[in-house]
Short mmCIF file of all heavy atoms in Angstrom, two decimals:
data_model
loop_
_atom_site.label_atom_id
_atom_site.label_comp_id
_atom_site.label_asym_id
_atom_site.label_seq_id
_atom_site.Cartn_x
_atom_site.Cartn_y
_atom_site.Cartn_z
N GLY A 111 54.19 -242.24 65.45
CA GLY A 111 53.20 -242.12 64.46
C GLY A 111 53.09 -240.72 63.73
O GLY A 111 54.04 -240.01 63.59
N ASP A 112 52.03 -240.41 63.54
CA ASP A 112 51.66 -239.05 62.79
C ASP A 112 51.38 -238.00 63.96
O ASP A 112 50.26 -237.66 64.17
CB ASP A 112 50.42 -239.24 61.95
CG ASP A 112 50.27 -237.92 61.13
OD1 ASP A 112 51.19 -237.24 60.81
OD2 ASP A 112 49.07 -237.69 60.64
N ALA A 113 52.42 -237.52 64.60
CA ALA A 113 52.40 -236.49 65.69
C ALA A 113 51.50 -236.94 66.89
O ALA A 113 50.90 -236.12 67.50
CB ALA A 113 51.95 -235.24 65.05
N GLN A 114 51.50 -238.24 67.21
CA GLN A 114 50.74 -238.77 68.41
C GLN A 114 51.83 -238.64 69.50
O GLN A 114 52.94 -238.99 69.40
CB GLN A 114 50.25 -240.09 68.17
CG GLN A 114 49.15 -240.15 67.07
CD GLN A 114 48.65 -241.48 66.67
OE1 GLN A 114 49.40 -242.34 66.33
NE2 GLN A 114 47.36 -241.77 66.96
N THR A 115 51.28 -238.49 70.72
CA THR A 115 52.11 -238.50 71.91
C THR A 115 51.41 -239.19 73.02
O THR A 115 50.18 -239.29 73.19
CB THR A 115 52.43 -237.02 72.33
OG1 THR A 115 51.29 -236.37 72.78
CG2 THR A 115 53.17 -236.34 71.28
N VAL A 116 52.26 -239.71 73.96
CA VAL A 116 51.80 -240.25 75.21
C VAL A 116 52.75 -239.63 76.32
O VAL A 116 53.96 -239.53 76.01
CB VAL A 116 51.71 -241.79 75.21
CG1 VAL A 116 53.08 -242.31 74.93
CG2 VAL A 116 51.07 -242.22 76.55
N THR A 117 52.25 -239.36 77.53
CA THR A 117 53.14 -238.72 78.46
C THR A 117 53.07 -239.49 79.81
O THR A 117 52.11 -240.16 80.09
CB THR A 117 52.89 -237.32 78.75
OG1 THR A 117 51.52 -237.15 79.21
CG2 THR A 117 53.07 -236.41 77.43
N ALA A 118 54.19 -239.28 80.53
CA ALA A 118 54.10 -239.72 82.04
C ALA A 118 54.88 -238.69 82.74
O ALA A 118 55.74 -237.95 82.21
CB ALA A 118 54.75 -241.14 82.09
N GLN A 119 54.59 -238.55 84.08
CA GLN A 119 55.18 -237.53 84.85
C GLN A 119 55.68 -238.21 86.21
O GLN A 119 55.16 -239.18 86.70
CB GLN A 119 54.18 -236.57 85.35
CG GLN A 119 53.76 -235.68 84.18
CD GLN A 119 52.83 -234.51 84.42
OE1 GLN A 119 52.11 -234.62 85.39
NE2 GLN A 119 53.07 -233.32 83.76
N VAL A 120 56.91 -237.65 86.70
CA VAL A 120 57.59 -238.06 87.91
C VAL A 120 57.88 -236.89 88.73
O VAL A 120 58.36 -235.85 88.23
CB VAL A 120 58.97 -238.78 87.57
CG1 VAL A 120 59.70 -239.04 88.83
CG2 VAL A 120 58.70 -240.04 86.67
N ASN A 121 57.36 -236.95 89.93
CA ASN A 121 57.61 -235.82 90.89
C ASN A 121 58.90 -235.93 91.57
O ASN A 121 59.22 -236.94 92.24
CB ASN A 121 56.46 -235.78 91.90
CG ASN A 121 56.52 -234.43 92.74
OD1 ASN A 121 56.78 -233.38 92.21
ND2 ASN A 121 56.26 -234.60 94.09
N ALA A 122 59.80 -234.97 91.38
CA ALA A 122 61.19 -235.01 91.96
C ALA A 122 61.20 -234.03 93.02
O ALA A 122 60.89 -232.85 92.90
CB ALA A 122 62.21 -234.68 90.83
N ILE A 123 61.76 -234.43 94.23
CA ILE A 123 61.89 -233.67 95.37
C ILE A 123 63.24 -233.64 95.92
O ILE A 123 63.93 -234.64 95.95
CB ILE A 123 60.87 -234.18 96.56
CG1 ILE A 123 59.43 -233.95 96.05
CG2 ILE A 123 61.08 -233.30 97.74
CD1 ILE A 123 58.45 -234.57 97.04
N GLN A 124 63.80 -232.44 96.21
CA GLN A 124 65.16 -232.25 96.65
C GLN A 124 65.04 -231.39 98.02
O GLN A 124 64.75 -230.40 98.10
CB GLN A 124 66.07 -231.50 95.69
CG GLN A 124 67.53 -231.53 96.09
CD GLN A 124 68.31 -230.68 95.04
OE1 GLN A 124 67.84 -229.78 94.43
NE2 GLN A 124 69.52 -231.24 94.76
N GLU A 125 65.59 -232.15 99.16
CA GLU A 125 65.80 -231.47 100.33
C GLU A 125 66.87 -230.45 100.30
O GLU A 125 67.72 -230.37 99.49
CB GLU A 125 66.12 -232.46 101.46
CG GLU A 125 65.00 -233.43 101.75
CD GLU A 125 63.70 -232.98 102.45
OE1 GLU A 125 63.95 -231.99 103.23
OE2 GLU A 125 62.68 -233.51 102.26
N ALA A 126 66.79 -229.38 101.32
CA ALA A 126 67.91 -228.46 101.30
C ALA A 126 69.24 -229.07 101.77
O ALA A 126 69.18 -230.03 102.53
CB ALA A 126 67.51 -227.36 102.32
N TRP A 127 70.27 -228.59 101.11
CA TRP A 127 71.61 -229.10 101.53
C TRP A 127 72.28 -228.36 102.58
O TRP A 127 72.40 -227.21 102.47
CB TRP A 127 72.46 -229.09 100.22
CG TRP A 127 73.86 -229.74 100.33
CD1 TRP A 127 74.16 -230.82 101.05
CD2 TRP A 127 75.04 -229.24 99.83
NE1 TRP A 127 75.47 -231.13 100.96
CE2 TRP A 127 76.04 -230.23 100.10
CE3 TRP A 127 75.36 -228.27 98.90
CZ2 TRP A 127 77.40 -230.07 99.72
CZ3 TRP A 127 76.72 -228.12 98.54
CH2 TRP A 127 77.68 -229.03 98.90
N ASP A 128 72.54 -229.11 103.68
CA ASP A 128 73.43 -228.45 104.71
C ASP A 128 74.88 -228.72 104.38
O ASP A 128 75.50 -229.70 104.62
CB ASP A 128 73.06 -229.14 106.04
CG ASP A 128 71.59 -228.77 106.56
OD1 ASP A 128 71.19 -227.70 106.25
OD2 ASP A 128 71.06 -229.63 107.26
N LYS A 129 75.45 -227.64 103.65
CA LYS A 129 76.81 -227.75 103.19
C LYS A 129 77.67 -227.93 104.37
O LYS A 129 77.62 -227.13 105.31
CB LYS A 129 77.14 -226.51 102.44
CG LYS A 129 78.46 -226.68 101.77
CD LYS A 129 78.74 -225.39 100.91
CE LYS A 129 79.98 -225.43 100.19
NZ LYS A 129 80.24 -224.29 99.27
N PRO A 130 78.57 -228.93 104.43
CA PRO A 130 79.45 -229.18 105.52
C PRO A 130 80.45 -228.00 105.64
O PRO A 130 80.88 -227.44 104.62
CB PRO A 130 80.20 -230.37 105.21
CG PRO A 130 79.81 -230.79 103.86
CD PRO A 130 78.74 -229.97 103.31
N LEU A 131 80.71 -227.64 106.81
CA LEU A 131 81.70 -226.61 107.14
C LEU A 131 83.09 -227.14 106.83
O LEU A 131 83.44 -228.40 107.19
CB LEU A 131 81.66 -226.16 108.61
CG LEU A 131 80.37 -225.44 109.05
CD1 LEU A 131 80.43 -225.19 110.48
CD2 LEU A 131 80.17 -224.19 108.19
N THR A 132 83.97 -226.41 106.19
CA THR A 132 85.28 -226.78 105.91
C THR A 132 86.15 -225.58 106.38
O THR A 132 85.92 -224.53 106.42
CB THR A 132 85.49 -226.94 104.41
OG1 THR A 132 85.26 -225.84 103.71
CG2 THR A 132 84.71 -228.09 103.89
#
Side-chain angles (χ1 to χ4, degrees):
D112 187 25
Q114 294 174 299
T115 62
V116 62
T117 61
Q119 294 184 324
V120 175
N121 188 38
I123 297 177
Q124 186 183 37
E125 296 287 331
W127 184 38
D128 291 328
K129 188 175 182 178
L131 295 175
T132 57

